[in-house]
Amino acid sequence: SGEFNYDIGEYVLTWLNAYRQYSSFSTLDGDFSAFDAVVSDTKEDFEQVSSELRVTSPAGETIDYVAGLFFYYSRDKTIGHTGIGPDWFAASDSLRNLFLGPTSEPDENGRIVNTDTNEHRTWSYAFFGQGTWHATEWFDLTLGLRGTYEEKARAGSQISGFKLVDAGPFGPDRYADERFSVFNLSPMGALQFYPT
C-alpha cells in the first residue's frame, strides 16, 4: 500500500493505493488412512486492488470539505477436485464397476474426480463528498453524499469424471455465468453542538 500527499496552495491532494494477493493449495485425505482412496483438494488464487483520489480544503475556514473518487477490483479463482484415487481401484474391481461403470476413466494421476471451477470478480466505483459549515462557535452542520456503483460476476463449472452416477456432487456437468450490478446513493447529515 502507499499514500501520496501533494500540497496545492492550502489544499491537499491525497492518492491512496493498495494491492493484495495470496495463493493457497489445500488437500484432504478423505479416507483418513495410508491409502490414496478418497481424495479432495482445492487451489485458490486471490487478488485485489484499490485506489482513492481525494482533495481536502484548507482547515480553519467557515466551510471546509473533502471530495474524491474511489475504485476497487477483486478476483478470486478456485479449482477443486473431489473423488477417488488409485488405491480404490486396487482394492476391488467390483467396487470400481459398482460406482463408476464401464465408461469412467481415471485422469493422469489415476483418479476419477469431480472438478469444480469458480471465478468471482467485483468492480466498485464511487464518488464522495462531505462539507462542514462552522455556523458559529457553538454549531457545526455537516452534509455529505456518496454514490457507489458495484458489479459482481461469477463464472464456474462442475465437470464430473463419474459417468454412471448422475446425482449429487458427481454430476451432471453444470456451467454458470452470472452477473449483477447495483447503484446506491448514501446521504448523511450531522448537527454538532459545543456547549463549552
Side-chain angles (χ1 to χ4, degrees), residues 5 7 19 21 29 41 58 62 64 70 75 96-97 99 107 116 128 137 148 160 177 186 189 192:
N5 293 287
D7 294 332
Y19 176 78
Q21 183 273 337
D29 182 5
D41 62 66
T62 303
D64 57 52
F70 176 79
R75 174 180 171 269
R96 174 191 174 105
N97 293 331
F99 286 94
D107 63 13
D116 62 87
F128 59 90
E137 293 183 357
T148 303
S160 180
D177 191 358
S186 303
Q192 296 169 286

Side-chain angles (χ1 to χ4, degrees), residues 79-111:
I79 301 175
H81 303 98
T82 304
I84 55 179
D87 289 342
W88 177 286
F89 310 130
S92 171
D93 286 339
S94 61
L95 286 175
R96 174 191 174 105
N97 293 331
L98 175 64
F99 286 94
L100 306 180
T103 59
S104 298
E105 291 297 330
D107 63 13
E108 64 276 5
N109 298 312
R111 310 179 305 176

Side-chain angles (χ1 to χ4, degrees), residues 92-175:
S92 171
D93 286 339
S94 61
L95 286 175
R96 174 191 174 105
N97 293 331
L98 175 64
F99 286 94
L100 306 180
T103 59
S104 298
E105 291 297 330
D107 63 13
E108 64 276 5
N109 298 312
R111 310 179 305 176
I112 295 182
V113 295
N114 174 77
T115 301
D116 62 87
T117 64
N118 281 286
E119 185 177 40
H120 297 269
R121 292 183 294 166
T122 299
W123 300 264
S124 184
Y125 310 87
F127 64 86
F128 59 90
Q130 178 176 304
T132 299
W133 174 38
H134 306 285
T136 70
E137 293 183 357
W138 286 16
F139 289 98
D140 283 349
L141 174 64
T142 301
L143 299 175
L145 180 68
R146 180 184 181 93
T148 303
Y149 172 82
E150 186 160 298
E151 184 174 349
K152 292 184 177 290
R154 173 195 172 234
S157 65
Q158 175 179 283
I159 309 299
S160 180
F162 296 83
K163 301 306 180 185
L164 180 64
V165 181
D166 193 21
F170 305 117
D173 293 347
R174 295 184 177 92
Y175 301 88

Side-chain angles (χ1 to χ4, degrees), residues 9-11 17 21 35 45 51 54 63 66-67 71 74 89 94 102 104 107 110 137 141 161 168 177-178 184 189 194:
E10 295 183 335
Y11 292 83
N17 295 279
Q21 183 273 337
F35 296 99
D45 291 300
S51 184
R54 68 173 183 250
I63 296 178
V66 60
F71 168 74
S74 70
F89 310 130
S94 61
S104 298
D107 63 13
E137 293 183 357
L141 174 64
D177 191 358
E178 304 167 308
N184 181 66
Y194 306 94

